[in-house]
Amino acid sequence: MAGWMWLRCFFGPHLQRIHRSPDQSRPEGRAGRRGWTYQPKSLEKHTDSILGWASALWSLSYYSSPLLLCYLYRKGYICSSKLVPVSQYVGTVLVCLLGVACLRGWGRWKNSEYQQFISILEETRKTNTPSKKKKLGCYDFDFSHWPADFSWKEVSNLKLPSKAGVSLLKPEARLRGAADSVLNSVRTLPCHIISFLIAHSFGRRMLYPGSVYLLQKAMRPMLQQGQARLVEECEGQRNKLVACDGNEIDTMFVDRRRVGGMQGQTLVICCEGNAGFYEVGCMNTPLEGKERGNLSVSQGVPFPQNEANAMDVVIQFAVHRLGFNLRDIMVYAWSIGGFTASWAVMSYPEIQAVVLDASFDDLLPLALKVMPDSWRPLVTHTVRQYMNLNNADQLCKYQGPVLLIRRTKDEIITTTGPEDIMSNRGNDLLLKLLQFRYPKVMTDDGVRAVRAWLGASNPLEEASVYSSYEVDDDWCTSVLQSYQSERGQFFPWSVGKRPQLDSTLNDEYSHLGLLTCPPSLHRLSLCTCL
C-alpha cells in the first residue's frame, strides 16, 4: 500500500495552492484564510527546484535548437567521435534527474497534505462525481493532470465536416486550368514547405506567445494569484474540456444565476488576447463592471487552427452542461481573441451579442508590418494557408448586435504606430462591417465621412466632424425603424437607395447617423478609449 502511494506521489502533479471551500473547517494556524500556498517539505522543495531548472533549460534548448545545431555543425561537433561522449554525459544527467525525481516522490509521500490531495485526485479520476469534483476543486495543481469534465463526444448530434474539426471560413480560391494548376503546384512547392515549417515552429509561437513554456513559468506567480482570487473570492469552478482535436481547454466558470437576478442569466464567454490568461485577462471586465458584475462568466483558450474547435466545445459545454440557451450567451474578446469570437457568432447566429475589444479585421496586414518586404509573398502564403485570422469576413456573417472598442494608443494592431490612429485595423473592421450591412449607404461619400470621424484624435474633433455633416439623429432613426418594420432585419440592407431624396438628404443619410441606431435595430457601436 505504501509502495503504491509512493508511486502516485512520484508521478503526481505539482501542487501549488490549497483553497478552502466555504463549508470547509479552518485548519489550525490558518484561521480566517480562504486559502494558502502549499508548503512542501525541505526534500520536496529542493528536488522540485532542481527539476524545475532542468525543465526550463530543456525548453530553452528546444526553442534555440536550430541556432544551436548550426553552431555545433560549423564547429565540427556533429560527428561520431564527438557525439558518443556527449551522449554519455546526457545519459548520466538523465539518471541523476531520475534519482532527484525519486527523492521528490519520497518527500511528497512524507507530506500529509500532498497524500490527502493525491488520494482525492485518484478517486476523482475513477468516478468524477460532483461531490468529488468539489473536493478536487479545492486544489490548484498542474492542469495536465486535471480529469476531463466534458468532451465534444458527449454531444451526440455533433457531426464534424472534416478530420480537422469544425468548418472554417476559407478564402475564395482562384480558378486555374488543369495544366497551369499542376505547373504552379510544382513551382510553389518550396514555398509550401517553408511556409509549413514557419507556421509550425516560430510562427505559431510568435502569434501566440502565451503557449511558450518559458513565458508561462515567468508568469506563474501572477497566474496563481489570479486563480486563487477567482476560486476563493468569486467561487469559480474550474473545468477541463476536451475538443474534437484532442486539445484540452482550461475554463473557469463563475455562476451568478442564483444571486445575480436577470443579469445572472446571461453567460459571457471571454476570449483572451495575445499572451493572455484568464487568471489575469479580460475575464475581469464583465466580473468587475458595475453594470455587468452579476454576469456569469466562462473562459475559453484559443489556439491557431484549433481555436474554432476549442470555442465550439466551450459553447457546447455552456449549452449542454451548464444549461444556458444560445440567445442568453454573449461573447467578449480581446485583440486576437476576436477570431474565436467572430467564428462563434458566425457559426451560432442565435448568440445574443458580441463585443470585440482592440481587435482587427485581418491578420495579414499586421504580419506584413513586422516582416521584411522581400518576404511578402512567403508571409502572405503562410498567413492565408495556416493562420488565416479573417475576423471581418466572419463577423459579416453575423446578424446580431456588435460592439467595437478601439484603443487609440494600441501598438499591436496598428500598421505604422499608435500615433497614427488611422492605421489602427479596428477602423478597417468597422468599415468592412458597415459596408456589408449598409452597402447603399456606405458609398464613396459615406466611407469618406466615416474615415473623417475615425481620424479624429479626441472627442471634440469627433463632435466637430459629426456636426459638420448636420446629421439628424431622430430622422435617421425613424428611417431605419421604418425600413426594419417593412422589410425585415436581415443584412445586408438596401436602405439608402431612395431616388426621391434630394442630394442634401442623401449626404446626411449616408453618414454617421447609422452609428446611433437603437438596440432593436441590431445596434452597431464604436467606443473609442483614449
Side-chain angles (χ1 to χ4, degrees), residues 298-309:
S298 180
Q299 169 63 41
V301 183
F303 291 93
Q305 166 57 35
N306 311 110
E307 294 172 7
N309 298 336

Side-chain angles (χ1 to χ4, degrees), residues 208-228:
Y208 295 100
S211 62
V212 178
Y213 171 76
L214 293 177
L215 180 61
Q216 296 176 3
K217 186 175 181 63
M219 295 187 63
R220 182 169 296 171
M222 187 183 304
L223 299 181
Q224 290 176 2
Q225 293 178 5
Q227 184 83 243

Side-chain angles (χ1 to χ4, degrees), residues 234-237 253-259 264 295-297 324:
C234 303
E235 300 183 4
Q237 305 169 18
F253 173 61
V254 179
D255 196 349
R256 300 270 179 91
R257 283 175 287 190
R258 291 179 296 178
V259 298
L295 293 180
S296 303
V297 179
F324 287 92

